Amino acid sequence: MANNLYNTQVSPKGYKRGGGVKKPGKVKSFFGKIRKKIAPTFGEQFSDAKKSGKKTFKSTRDDKTKGKLEYSTKSAAEVKAAKKRMSDRERARVGDKSKQLSEKGAAFKLARKSGKKTFTHKGKKFSTLLKGEKPNKIMPELSGKTSKKIKKFIGA
């Protein structure tokens, strides 16, 4: 029973034992409401815009660019998740250069897919072989009995 009384005791400052945050008084809460209307913080503006369903909002906190810059209501995590869902082509439309092929890379990919040994890019010739890859040596076409023997031996 003594333990039960200990837990419900109230300290002299008005806090219950075990922590907790004391709510601001009437004067502080009144000034807090006025401050929110006159000069809301960036976080408050962001959350208000997000709650109202806006895609962008203009911040009134910065003195130099007051109301000139538009901010998105998407959080960094939401943008990252959206980028993962977008394809490379959609990213290119948006203007994102990450995970996209360069001009030379695109030319290399096209030439390699079409089976070419070399391709030209900006006047220079390049090979379509990957690093460490060796070119296929094609045997010359032979005729007669010897060619049949050789092909049988090679397994062609």
Side-chain angles (χ1 to χ4, degrees):
M1 180 145 166
N3 194 16
N4 193 17
L5 286 172
Y6 177 79
N7 289 337
T8 57
Q9 278 182 330
V10 177
S11 68
K13 288 186 177 179
Y15 294 109
K16 286 187 176 179
R17 289 191 185 243
V21 179
K22 190 175 178 183
K23 290 184 179 180
K26 290 182 180 180
V27 176
K28 277 195 175 184
S29 64
F30 172 74
F31 282 117
K33 287 177 186 176
I34 290 174
R35 185 206 46 82
K36 280 185 182 181
K37 288 182 181 177
I38 295 171
T41 62
F42 183 83
E44 290 167 350
Q45 291 175 1
F46 176 84
S47 61
D48 288 344
K50 193 161 186 140
K51 282 178 190 173
S52 62
K54 293 180 181 177
K55 289 187 179 180
T56 59
F57 70 98
K58 291 184 179 182
S59 177
T60 58
R61 288 297 286 184
D62 194 9
D63 292 332
K64 294 176 184 174
T65 58
K66 197 175 268 188
K68 292 179 185 173
L69 296 177
E70 282 198 23
Y71 298 94
S72 174
T73 55
K74 288 184 180 179
S75 65
E78 290 172 336
V79 171
K80 194 173 183 181
K83 272 189 180 180
K84 281 185 178 179
R85 286 191 299 260
M86 280 200 284
S87 68
D88 288 342
R89 189 171 286 167
E90 288 170 330
R91 273 197 214 104
R93 260 188 243 129
V94 174
D96 184 10
K97 295 280 184 184
S98 65
K99 291 189 179 180
Q100 285 187 27
L101 291 174
S102 62
E103 287 180 33
K104 183 181 169 188
F108 170 82
K109 186 177 181 180
L110 187 71
R112 191 165 167 87
K113 266 191 175 180
S114 60
K116 294 180 181 175
K117 291 181 182 178
T118 59
F119 69 98
T120 54
H121 175 67
K122 293 187 178 178
K124 294 182 181 177
K125 279 195 171 187
F126 296 96
S127 173
T128 57
L129 294 175
L130 295 171
K131 189 176 182 180
E133 196 175 39
K134 294 179 181 176
N136 287 340
K137 290 186 178 178
I138 300 170
M139 295 289 286
E141 195 60 41
L142 300 170
S143 60
K145 291 180 183 177
T146 54
S147 69
K148 287 180 183 176
K149 286 179 182 177
I150 292 171
K151 285 180 181 177
K152 206 182 241 186
F153 180 76
I154 294 173

